[in-house]
């Protein structure tokens, strides 16, 4: 169910951005939905676990080997995932490097980068290389701070409403990302 809701949220976010492509406020709402809310819902749906259960044994083993691969370990480390996610925001909102990139590619990047980051912090799927809770929490604090700096810079650049939307609209997703790993720690304490 979470998977379907996540897909629906992503579609609504993309549609909202398409309705007003030159309205920064709608773009930010789309960013929040596509890059933060949808990925969190998709990650919590545990699609890899479902795939491992549903695939034939040979393919499930191949997927498990892939999950243990060194490149996957590097990419799913919270610091790398945060760099991809928040770094993309910096490039999008603070430079002109992505000015000519088609909207569909930007939305795909937001969704995948958001998924990668949410997975690295609060994923439920098997992760042979999952970082320790302290590392995930520390990276999350730094990533939230970097995200908030982007929002405040938008506000300072006379995009007040978009900056406030980015700053305050991200708070529920940030809170969820803090609570879910803490819940994991609490359960582990028994």
């Amino acid at each position: 169910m979470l998977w379907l809701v996540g897909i629906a949220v992503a579609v609504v976010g993309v549609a909202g951005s398409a309705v007003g492509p030159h309205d920064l406020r709608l773009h930010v709402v789309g960013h929040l939905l596509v890059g933060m809310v949808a990925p969190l819902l998709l990650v919590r749906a545990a699609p890899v676990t479902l795939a491992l259960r549903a695939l034939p044994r040979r393919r499930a083993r191949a997927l498990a080997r892939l999950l243990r691969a060194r490149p996957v370990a590097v990419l799913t480390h919270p610091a790398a995932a945060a760099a991809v996610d928040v770094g993309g925001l910096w490039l999008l909102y603070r430079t002109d490097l992505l000015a000519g990139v088609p909207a569909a590619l930007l939305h795909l990047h937001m969704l995948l980068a958001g998924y990668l980051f949410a997975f690295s912090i609060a994923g439920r799927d098997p992760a042979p290389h999952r970082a320790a809770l302290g590392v995930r929490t520390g990276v999350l604090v730094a990533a939230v701070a970097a995200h908030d700096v982007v929002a405040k810079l938008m506000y300072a650049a006379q995009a007040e409403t978009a900056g406030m939307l980015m700053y305050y609209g991200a708070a529920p997703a940030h809170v969820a990302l803090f609570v879910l790993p803490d819940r994991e720690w609490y359960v582990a304490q028994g």
Side-chain angles (χ1 to χ4, degrees), residues 49-188:
T49 299
L50 178 61
L52 288 170
R53 290 179 182 164
L55 288 171
R57 184 172 297 170
R58 189 175 56 116
R59 289 197 175 137
R61 285 183 179 153
L63 177 58
R65 276 192 304 277
L66 175 67
L67 294 174
R68 290 189 302 270
R70 187 74 184 141
V72 173
V74 170
L75 194 58
T76 59
H77 188 278
V84 170
D85 191 32
V86 180
L89 289 178
W90 278 87
L91 289 175
L92 180 62
Y93 293 116
R94 301 304 304 159
T95 72
D96 292 330
L97 289 176
L98 301 177
V101 176
L105 287 178
L106 289 176
H107 286 118
L108 182 61
H109 167 77
M110 284 184 200
L111 183 65
L112 294 177
Y115 184 93
L116 182 64
F117 183 65
F119 175 80
S120 74
I121 300 296
R124 293 172 54 186
D125 280 323
H129 308 286
R130 188 169 311 278
L133 182 60
V135 171
R136 289 184 280 152
T137 302
V139 170
L140 179 57
V141 168
V144 168
H147 187 273
D148 290 349
V149 168
V150 173
K152 290 177 182 181
L153 289 171
M154 287 176 74
Y155 186 89
Q158 305 303 316
E160 290 93 356
T161 305
M164 288 190 319
L165 281 168
M166 182 180 278
Y167 185 82
Y168 293 112
H174 290 157
V175 168
L177 285 171
F178 276 109
V179 168
L180 292 168
D182 287 346
R183 182 176 165 269
E184 171 189 323
W185 173 82
Y186 180 75
V187 169

